[in-house]
Amino acid sequence: MDARHPMSSRVATAALGASPRAATRDPRHPTIARPSAVDVGLHLAIVALTLATAAIHASLGGVLFLANAAGYSTLAIAMIVPLPIARRYRWLIRLALLGFTSATIAGWLVLGARFPLAYLDKGIEALLVGCLVTEAYRLEGSPLEGVRRLARLARSATDRATDRLTAA
């Protein structure tokens, strides 16, 4: 860890899936932080709310609603899949789910039909946004840290592509 940068320990701990403030050490593996019960509950709430809104959208039928349900389902699976690459980029998945949910709410505000199930779904999505922002604060210090990491990732990919083009 880089002692000069206070976020480096948070980012490393977040990659393991634990909050720097609420993490406990695993006695069998003292270098690996375990997530707290609050972190696990929050993460499960995010997955449950995401699947709930996916089910609501799937029940409505129509291409747009089914595409929305597929997007929510995919992001819910990505939030829990135990693959190393998914763990490494969980912050990006969280940011994508936050953007997807926000876009869905905005789209409904502009174009959506007003009926009881729609209001229930928007309530679920508002709770989902709250949980995602809370998890981002607990794991990264701020949702803006995810945006900064995304900018660094894009810059790094652009630099690599430029290097390959100039080397060819």
Side-chain angles (χ1 to χ4, degrees), residues 103-145:
T104 301
I105 292 169
W108 178 78
L109 288 172
V110 174
L111 303 171
R114 307 297 195 256
F115 59 98
L117 186 59
Y119 289 107
L120 172 65
D121 187 56
K122 295 315 132 198
I124 292 170
E125 289 171 345
L127 279 172
L128 177 58
V129 167
C131 288
L132 288 164
V133 169
T134 301
E135 187 175 64
Y137 271 108
R138 289 185 61 81
L139 297 180
E140 299 177 39
S142 165
L144 293 177
E145 180 58 28

Side-chain angles (χ1 to χ4, degrees), residues 48-59 65 68-73 76 121:
L49 291 168
T50 303
L51 291 174
T53 194
I56 290 171
H57 282 93
S59 73
F65 290 117
N68 203 284
Y72 275 122
S73 299
D121 187 56

Side-chain angles (χ1 to χ4, degrees), residues 15-90:
L16 296 171
S19 165
R21 290 174 284 229
T24 57
R25 297 286 172 202
D26 186 339
R28 295 166 294 175
H29 306 283
T31 59
I32 299 176
R34 289 187 309 190
S36 71
V38 172
D39 290 327
V40 171
L42 186 60
H43 199 74
L44 290 175
I46 288 169
V47 173
L49 291 168
T50 303
L51 291 174
T53 194
I56 290 171
H57 282 93
S59 73
L60 297 173
V63 175
L64 191 58
F65 290 117
L66 292 175
N68 203 284
Y72 275 122
S73 299
T74 301
L75 288 166
I77 291 167
M79 286 294 287
I80 59 171
V81 70
L83 297 175
I85 192 163
R87 283 192 198 115
R88 181 176 180 192
Y89 291 105
R90 195 84 69 206

